[in-house]
Amino acid sequence: MRLYTLMISLGKGSVRFMLRVWSALAWKLGVKLPKSYDFFYLSSHGVGHNAMLGFLHHCGVKLNWHFEESGKQRYAHLYQMLLKAKYAKIGGGGGESYAIALSECGFTQKEEFFATFAKRAPAICLVRDPIGVIKSILNLSGRGGEGVFTLDTPYEQITQVGFGDFTQAPIFWGEASPHLASIATIVEDSSGHIFIQNSLQESLQKVILQTHYIDMQQITSQNAYATMLDLSQKFGFNPPEKDSVIWTTKMFGEINGVLPFSLHIPLSGEASGQVLEVSITLEQYAMWQRGITYLLQDFIKQTPFTNIAITIPSDKAGLLSQALLQRLESFMQGFIEALQRRVEYINAHKITEVQVLDFLREHKDVAKKLEAKLDRELAHIMRSRADIVNGWGYYQQFKKLCLV
């Protein structure tokens, strides 16, 4: 209680500094994470992970978001989040639930990180037909260079992204169509980004009470609300709002390669010499940020891309004049048209699950490696929810393919 009294007496800046210091010291000393989390959320890349994060966030669940950080970095973020959660609950809280999200299993200091969980808790695990996972990864697009532009940059230059060649390191984002030969690299996946369900279960076997599996089809636009309502009752978090646009908004998809990017806008007048940085990003990224101000929200709601977020640092909001806001809206109108054209191109060149199966049929060595990996990584779900696996049509076709 004395620590809680100290925290509420300090300013936000001092609290953040103290939390960083405490988390670094706690990692060095091998201190367990605070027990203020309510459940685990497990997944992998390519299964609708970001959409599910958005749905949980909508229901008032506080989570972490990590991508390729070390165990030490993940611990620091979680320690700070969970310590604040602990004292928020002491102070009455705001009705939020807290969950630990894990979607990778190949990061450095993995063993030390997984050893820091002390509280046993249930888990939600999001899964998908493995052939659909491979298709999803192959259909990703991106840009090779840094995404920094101005209001005068040609729209086609901003939206010029390519499909990934995963056989190269780093990934080459310049292919005109999905690179089927990358399937062999994806199957190998030494990064621990996909096909990690059983690995996560083994790493957390001492702290998971029970795993509730969710198939990706249960969080499509037709099913997401009912699924989240059911989960809210099972896991004790706030129920979803039925009329929210989140249920009909695509959270990731074709525009992920173009976004995020930044617009650097030179200022004039009293602010001459300064540059305002405007972030054009996705709502599922922006929702994790603090100290930002949203711009042109009413305009974005009228576009086909309602999950775009235009933000600036809140402490820079005073630099934004009405004239500059009008220039930004004019820029966005042209950008949205160019983005629509790029999305149409991407959709016209995407591959299907059938093409993935055809590749595996022609490359038996790759198919055998995938079969062995899935036999291992699907072991836990086969014991507890074999009905989900049996319902994966493309995976069942793959199993038959391996018998030939």
Side-chain angles (χ1 to χ4, degrees):
M1 288 299 292
R2 282 182 294 180
L3 181 58
Y4 170 66
T5 303
L6 174 63
M7 288 182 69
I8 62 175
S9 68
L10 295 171
K12 289 184 178 179
S14 297
V15 169
R16 284 195 292 267
F17 173 75
M18 290 178 66
L19 286 172
R20 287 197 297 270
V21 172
W22 289 338
S23 62
L25 180 60
W27 172 262
K28 280 188 176 182
L29 297 176
V31 176
K32 301 288 187 181
L33 284 168
K35 298 180 180 181
S36 43
Y37 54 93
D38 299 296
F39 61 93
F40 296 97
Y41 162 53
L42 313 179
S43 65
S44 70
H45 293 206
V47 300
H49 170 64
N50 285 284
M52 188 63 176
L53 283 175
F55 296 151
L56 288 167
H57 187 269
H58 167 80
C59 294
V61 179
K62 303 290 187 181
L63 306 103
N64 54 298
W65 188 91
H66 293 128
F67 179 67
E68 296 188 340
E69 287 97 337
S70 67
K72 180 180 179 180
Q73 291 170 312
R74 293 165 193 258
Y75 175 90
H77 183 208
L78 280 172
Y79 183 90
Q80 294 171 46
M81 181 186 87
L82 295 174
L83 193 62
K84 286 188 286 186
K86 176 180 178 179
Y87 292 107
K89 291 180 178 180
I90 291 175
E96 299 96 346
S97 294
Y98 293 84
I100 293 176
L102 298 166
S103 61
E104 297 172 348
C105 205
F107 51 89
T108 59
Q109 301 168 310
K110 177 181 68 174
E111 289 78 12
E112 297 95 320
F113 172 73
F114 283 127
T116 62
F117 298 112
K119 177 184 173 182
R120 301 190 72 205
I124 297 170
C125 185
L126 183 64
V127 293
R128 181 183 186 179
D129 186 319
I131 306 304
V133 171
I134 294 174
K135 180 204 74 170
S136 175
I137 300 296
L138 287 174
N139 283 333
L140 288 174
S141 58
R143 65 164 55 89
E146 187 178 7
V148 179
F149 307 103
T150 72
L151 291 175
D152 298 317
T153 304
Y155 297 125
E156 300 305 327
Q157 180 180 335
I158 298 174
T159 60
Q160 186 59 47
V161 296
F163 293 97
D165 177 357
F166 294 86
T167 66
Q168 299 191 41
I171 299 168
F172 172 68
W173 296 102
E175 297 292 322
S177 58
H179 193 252
L180 281 168
S182 293
I183 292 177
T185 305
I186 293 171
V187 168
E188 295 285 350
D189 183 38
S190 57
S191 64
H193 287 174
I194 59 174
F195 309 139
I196 57 173
Q197 290 89 345
N198 205 67
S199 295
L200 285 174
Q201 289 289 335
E202 290 178 349
S203 296
L204 298 168
Q205 59 183 322
K206 294 182 179 179
V207 290
I208 291 182
L209 286 172
Q210 184 179 7
T211 300
H212 186 91
Y213 280 100
I214 296 292
D215 184 75
M216 197 187 82
Q217 290 302 313
Q218 293 175 256
I219 61 166
T220 58
S221 57
Q222 301 91 337
N223 302 321
Y225 170 76
T227 296
M228 296 309 297
L229 181 61
D230 178 62
L231 289 175
S232 71
Q233 295 165 354
K234 287 182 168 68
F235 287 82
F237 54 79
N238 295 335
E241 297 177 12
K242 188 171 185 179
D243 297 329
S244 174
V245 297
I246 196 171
W247 314 121
T248 55
T249 300
K250 194 164 186 178
M251 294 293 288
F252 214 57
E254 301 83 5
I255 65 175
N256 177 59
V258 178
L259 306 179
F261 66 87
S262 297
L263 290 173
H264 283 190
I265 306 175
L267 301 175
S268 56
E270 294 182 2
S272 180
Q274 297 188 56
V275 175
L276 181 64
E277 182 173 344
V278 179
S279 175
I280 315 296
T281 186
L282 293 166
E283 173 57 27
Q284 66 264 34
Y285 293 149
M287 69 185 184
W288 303 110
Q289 299 176 23
R290 298 291 180 268
I292 60 172
T293 296
Y294 284 78
L295 306 176
L296 302 177
Q297 287 178 289
D298 290 339
F299 165 77
I300 290 298
K301 289 177 182 177
Q302 305 305 314
T303 75
F305 308 106
T306 55
N307 60 328
I308 286 180
I310 307 170
T311 71
I312 58 172
S314 294
D315 60 0
K316 301 293 184 182
L319 299 174
L320 191 66
S321 66
Q322 190 60 36
L324 190 54
L325 195 60
Q326 290 174 350
R327 285 184 63 201
L328 181 59
E329 182 171 347
S330 177
F331 168 88
M332 289 302 300
Q333 288 173 343
F335 169 72
I336 292 296
E337 293 175 4
L339 182 60
Q340 184 68 60
R341 292 191 294 272
R342 192 62 192 174
V343 166
E344 291 170 358
Y345 175 89
I346 291 172
N347 282 333
H349 290 77
K350 282 184 173 181
I351 64 162
T352 65
E353 289 92 344
V354 172
Q355 288 172 278
V356 174
L357 289 172
D358 286 342
F359 178 91
L360 294 169
R361 187 176 290 108
E362 295 169 5
H363 298 80
K364 296 292 187 183
D365 56 331
V366 179
K368 288 297 182 185
K369 289 180 181 178
L370 179 59
E371 180 185 28
K373 173 168 283 191
L374 294 178
D375 284 347
R376 181 174 65 254
E377 292 298 336
L378 298 179
H380 187 273
I381 188 174
M382 280 298 297
R383 290 195 299 271
S384 56
R385 287 297 307 274
D387 59 302
I388 291 179
V389 178
N390 292 336
W392 289 338
Y394 293 109
Y395 175 62
Q396 297 305 320
Q397 291 183 49
F398 168 72
K399 288 176 64 178
K400 292 177 182 178
L401 176 158
C402 291
L403 295 175
V404 177

